[in-house]
Amino acid sequence: MSFLIDSSIMITSQILFFGFGWLFFMRQLFKDYEVRQYVVQVIFSVTFAFSCTMFELIIFEILGVLNSSSRYFHWKMNLCVILLILVFMVPFYIGYFIVSNIRLLHKQRLLFSCLLWLTFMYFFWKLGDPFPILSPKHGILSIEQLISRVGVIGVTLMALLSGFGAVNCPYTYMSYFLRNVTDTDILALERRLLQTMDMIISKKKRMAMTRRTMFQKGEEHNKPSGFWGMIKSVTTSAPGSENLTLIQQEVDALEELSRQLFLETADLYATKERIEYSKTFKGKYFNFLGYFFSIYCVWKIFMATINIVFDRVGKTDPVTRGIEITVNYLGIQFDVKFWSQHISFILVGIIIVTSIRGLLITLTKFFYAISSSKSSNVIVLLLAQIMGMYFVSSVLLIRMSMPLEYRTIVTEVLGELQFNFYHRWFDVIFLVSALSSILFLYLAHKQAPEKHMAP
């Protein structure tokens, strides 16, 4: 009876997660597009529902909600379904919609979709060869074979996003990095833009007048008479045509310059708005957050470097370790086990909420940046693939943030994976991503004032 009650709780929560994913799909991703394929919407919502269910099971594990055997069953079922979606269903439909957009392959799109899926499976399987991700005793069709490879891709994505976010967040929030923009700078750039537009208009007028003059002269004086007249009109260029070509080249160059000036003007207006916003209470709050995250970024880069150099992976979760150090330093009586459970629950909850929110915001921006009416179905499926792999790898990494007694079922369900490898791999990719982001933002920040100072 308890298993039925536990299953009803899990099914109800999955329906709620599915509904939220469906609404997010309709209200955010596809609000400007017509939904042509409901199978895409269903796959996206199902992936989101089962991804969120894994996080729900982590919280239930800490709080002790549901029976232990029920949690194990739903962990196993949830992982099997999400792996089925990520490895078999989504890649096949991505290939199917890609082939469907090619007219020559319409009649045999099912065959070519299967070929694309087999190609994906080959590279997906070969991905696990260079990495020590699991024990060699596992069979070729075991769940560990799939989750280990999904984990490599997902951890790589997580580390890339985390590295860039750790650097970009303080750069975005801190007023220290804002350029000093005045009304004089904006007016000077707008004046250059207007002068460029006037030059484009005057040159286009000249081209129109030249074409009119050439047309009138051609009508009056250069009417071809006989066979040789026709040959002459074809082989000789009309007077003034060379000037038209030169003027057209100048117009093209000026139009490109006007586009750049317009983007720079919009950038100056945006920077001025950010300067004014930074003077408000909310802006000062985000400025403080920027300093906090900059310290966190430096600390994270330092710790990632230490972990890589000394091949170190923590055995105790950070909350318990932090409380033990504090209690030993202050010499006070404190129930470490009791408080580490509750603080770990809060910490894991914050990690889960921020991960879901941050990923959804990133997916929305990415979709609007590259989507079109023809490619939207493929892009949504790619986003579903990224989302599922991201959340599966989050479970692999969040496991280390959980106290030891709550890792048991998670470890049993995930199998005998080389968990230490994933943490070291995360540190390596995070360090590369963070240092690359620092270099990129430094060059962009240094180049911006020089661009606006250029005549």
Side-chain angles (χ1 to χ4, degrees):
M1 189 66 183
S2 62
F3 178 77
L4 292 176
I5 296 173
D6 294 345
S7 297
S8 64
I9 293 172
M10 293 303 302
I11 292 170
T12 303
S13 63
Q14 285 175 342
I15 291 172
L16 292 175
F17 290 140
F18 180 87
F20 183 81
W22 189 280
L23 287 175
F24 176 76
F25 184 93
M26 295 296 294
R27 300 282 178 86
Q28 292 294 325
L29 293 183
F30 259 65
K31 64 180 181 180
D32 297 326
Y33 297 95
E34 179 186 357
V35 182
R36 298 181 179 178
Q37 298 290 340
Y38 278 99
V39 67
V40 175
Q41 191 171 356
V42 171
I43 290 174
F44 181 88
S45 303
V46 169
T47 306
F48 180 81
F50 279 92
S51 299
C52 292
T53 304
M54 287 192 294
F55 287 144
E56 181 187 33
L57 287 168
I58 288 176
I59 295 175
F60 284 178
E61 202 68 38
I62 297 174
L63 295 179
V65 179
L66 307 184
N67 187 274
S68 178
S69 59
S70 299
R71 290 200 304 268
Y72 181 82
F73 170 80
H74 287 287
W75 263 116
K76 207 72 174 173
M77 186 192 72
N78 202 83
L79 270 177
C80 289
V81 173
I82 197 72
L83 290 174
L84 179 69
I85 293 170
L86 295 178
V87 179
F88 298 97
M89 188 176 294
V90 176
F92 174 78
Y93 273 105
I94 289 174
Y96 180 81
F97 285 114
I98 289 174
V99 172
S100 297
N101 290 330
I102 304 173
R103 292 184 179 181
L104 295 175
L105 307 178
H106 255 229
K107 293 181 179 179
Q108 297 179 325
R109 54 188 172 184
L110 192 61
L111 173 63
F112 284 100
S113 301
C114 292
L115 289 175
L116 285 176
W117 178 78
L118 290 173
T119 305
F120 163 79
M121 284 300 298
Y122 172 78
F123 287 105
F124 176 76
W125 211 259
K126 296 295 288 184
L127 179 68
D129 292 347
F131 300 109
I133 50 182
L134 62 129
S135 175
K137 69 180 182 180
H138 293 296
I140 194 170
L141 297 177
S142 63
I143 193 172
E144 287 84 2
Q145 292 281 1
L146 298 179
I147 200 169
S148 59
R149 288 161 171 79
V150 170
V152 170
I153 301 172
V155 168
T156 304
L157 290 171
M158 279 189 69
L160 288 172
L161 292 174
S162 300
F164 177 75
V167 175
N168 187 58
C169 184
Y171 180 79
T172 305
Y173 286 168
M174 291 172 64
S175 57
Y176 174 80
F177 294 106
L178 291 175
R179 299 193 308 271
N180 185 23
V181 177
T182 62
D183 292 333
T184 306
D185 297 330
I186 295 175
L187 288 173
L189 203 58
E190 286 180 338
R191 195 178 299 113
R192 285 183 60 195
L193 178 60
L194 290 174
Q195 288 174 353
T196 305
M197 297 302 293
D198 288 338
M199 291 174 65
I200 292 172
I201 292 171
S202 65
K203 287 184 180 295
K204 286 189 173 181
K205 283 182 178 179
R206 280 179 56 194
M207 290 175 64
M209 293 295 293
T210 304
R211 284 197 180 98
R212 183 181 177 186
T213 304
M214 290 171 59
F215 178 76
Q216 289 176 347
K217 287 182 178 179
E219 286 288 326
E220 294 175 5
H221 304 292
N222 294 332
K223 290 182 180 180
S225 55
F227 176 76
W228 292 109
M230 291 174 63
I231 295 296
K232 185 179 180 182
S233 66
V234 171
T235 55
T236 59
S237 59
S241 61
E242 294 84 356
N243 292 335
L244 276 177
T245 305
L246 292 174
I247 295 172
Q248 183 62 53
Q249 292 175 356
E250 293 174 2
V251 168
D252 293 339
L254 288 171
E255 285 180 341
E256 181 62 31
L257 176 62
S258 68
R259 280 191 287 270
Q260 294 178 2
L261 290 174
F262 176 79
L263 292 174
E264 290 176 20
T265 305
D267 185 45
L268 287 184
Y269 271 111
T271 305
K272 186 182 176 184
E273 288 178 2
R274 284 182 61 195
I275 292 172
E276 294 173 354
Y277 175 77
S278 66
K279 297 176 183 177
T280 63
F281 176 78
K282 193 174 180 180
K284 291 178 180 177
Y285 166 72
F286 278 107
N287 186 44
F288 170 77
L289 280 183
Y291 281 102
F292 172 78
F293 280 116
S294 63
I295 296 172
Y296 168 78
C297 175
V298 173
W299 172 254
K300 189 72 176 173
I301 291 174
F302 174 74
M303 292 305 298
T305 306
I306 294 296
N307 292 338
I308 293 168
V309 172
F310 295 100
D311 194 17
R312 194 186 68 166
V313 177
K315 302 297 181 183
T316 309
D317 67 287
V319 174
T320 304
R321 183 62 179 161
I323 293 176
E324 287 176 352
I325 292 172
T326 306
V327 169
N328 292 332
Y329 180 77
L330 298 177
I332 59 176
Q333 295 294 325
F334 197 78
D335 191 346
V336 175
K337 184 176 180 181
F338 173 80
W339 285 105
S340 65
Q341 173 184 349
H342 289 78
I343 296 174
S344 293
F345 167 69
I346 296 171
L347 177 64
V348 170
I350 292 171
I351 292 172
I352 289 169
V353 171
T354 53
S355 294
I356 294 173
R357 179 182 177 274
L359 185 65
L360 290 179
I361 291 172
T362 305
L363 292 182
T364 304
K365 291 179 180 178
F366 182 75
F367 179 79
Y368 284 141
I370 65 172
S371 63
S372 65
S373 58
K374 287 186 176 180
S375 65
S376 55
N377 290 322
V378 175
I379 292 171
V380 168
L381 290 173
L382 283 172
L383 297 184
Q385 183 85 349
I386 292 170
M387 178 176 63
M389 290 184 171
Y390 182 95
F391 286 150
V392 169
S393 60
S394 296
V395 173
L396 290 174
L397 298 179
I398 287 176
R399 172 188 166 276
M400 187 60 72
S401 300
M402 300 169 65
L404 194 60
E405 59 268 26
Y406 303 121
R407 301 181 194 173
T408 308
I409 290 183
V410 178
T411 305
E412 288 178 6
V413 170
L414 295 176
E416 297 181 15
L417 301 179
Q418 301 297 326
F419 293 103
N420 291 347
F421 161 76
Y422 291 103
H423 289 277
R424 285 196 296 269
W425 183 249
F426 179 89
D427 288 333
V428 171
I429 302 299
F430 174 86
L431 188 61
V432 172
S433 176
L435 295 178
S436 302
S437 301
I438 290 172
L439 179 62
F440 172 76
L441 291 176
Y442 171 75
L443 294 175
H445 185 78
K446 185 179 179 181
Q447 199 172 24
E450 297 174 357
K451 187 192 296 183
H452 297 305
M453 290 173 61

